[in-house]
Amino acid sequence: MVGFGYDSHILAVGRPLFLGGIEIESDFGTIAHSDGDVVLHALCDALLGASGLGDIGELFPDSDSKYKGADSKLFVEQILKLLEIRNLYIINVDITILLEKPKLENSKVKIRQSISEQVKIPIENVNIKAKTNEGMGFIGRQEGIAAYCICEIQQKA
Ligand code: MG
């Protein structure tokens, strides 16, 4: 089964920027109820999509104070447990990050490694792509960041 996820967050000066569970050196970071990790949020929704389990907002509502400032790695961990219970395993994950600044060339490997460890699949099966929006729209104006994720999962025989 294939799943698709998308997430975006507002960027502001002086906030931390977490991508894929890694803190990235940046003048801008996300404003969010949790740690605002768009990569992990898109990943969570892709996994939930592939397994027919709804969306991240249903599982971890931002109206719930226990998720305030939450480490998004915990969301991934809990979703992985839901997959394991259902005998579902992840084949691959492919992520695209849209961000004007900073350039993520040097961070992509770290993000890949981090996601590979979190979802327990080989690093070759985790792909990270990063691109700017060439100055257009909310990404281009550095008002926000977005991420897309697609994944394949399979049921164990
Ligand atoms: Mg989010």
Side-chain angles (χ1 to χ4, degrees):
M1 292 93 83
V2 169
F4 172 71
Y6 167 81
D7 194 41
S8 62
H9 281 290
I10 296 170
L11 288 175
V13 174
R15 298 271 312 163
L17 180 64
F18 290 97
L19 295 176
I22 301 285
E23 187 166 359
I24 307 290
E25 218 173 285
S26 170
D27 297 334
F28 294 83
T30 51
I31 296 177
H33 189 255
S34 68
D35 64 8
D37 191 324
V38 287
V39 170
L40 294 188
H41 296 177
L43 169 68
C44 285
D45 265 355
L47 294 173
L48 292 171
S51 54
L53 291 171
D55 68 40
I56 191 171
E58 289 169 29
L59 265 71
F60 315 106
D62 61 9
S63 53
D64 191 331
S65 61
K66 83 173 160 211
Y67 300 122
K68 190 163 166 47
D71 180 345
S72 298
K73 292 200 285 297
L74 298 176
F75 301 161
V76 177
E77 204 177 292
Q78 287 192 42
I79 291 167
L80 226 64
K81 279 185 194 150
L82 295 176
L83 297 188
E84 276 165 20
I85 291 166
R86 289 163 177 79
N87 275 326
L88 297 168
Y89 68 98
I90 301 163
I91 307 284
N92 79 307
V93 167
D94 184 21
I95 292 166
T96 299
I97 306 166
L98 281 168
L99 177 66
E100 214 65 23
K101 275 184 197 169
K103 294 273 183 238
L104 297 177
E105 283 159 22
N106 301 324
S107 309
K108 282 195 286 186
V109 173
K110 280 186 219 157
I111 296 171
R112 241 180 131 184
Q113 184 68 45
S114 168
I115 290 176
S116 157
E117 283 164 16
Q118 288 176 68
V119 300
K120 300 172 189 154
I121 62 173
I123 194 163
E124 298 75 31
N125 297 2
V126 176
N127 194 60
I128 303 290
K129 307 185 293 297
K131 51 206 302 151
T132 71
N133 218 32
E134 302 209 337
M136 295 181 286
F138 76 91
I139 302 284
R141 293 188 297 270
Q142 299 177 57
E143 293 165 6
I145 178 171
Y148 300 91
C149 177
I150 190 163
C151 72
E152 186 181 2
I153 64 170
Q154 253 176 29
Q155 186 122 39
K156 277 186 195 125

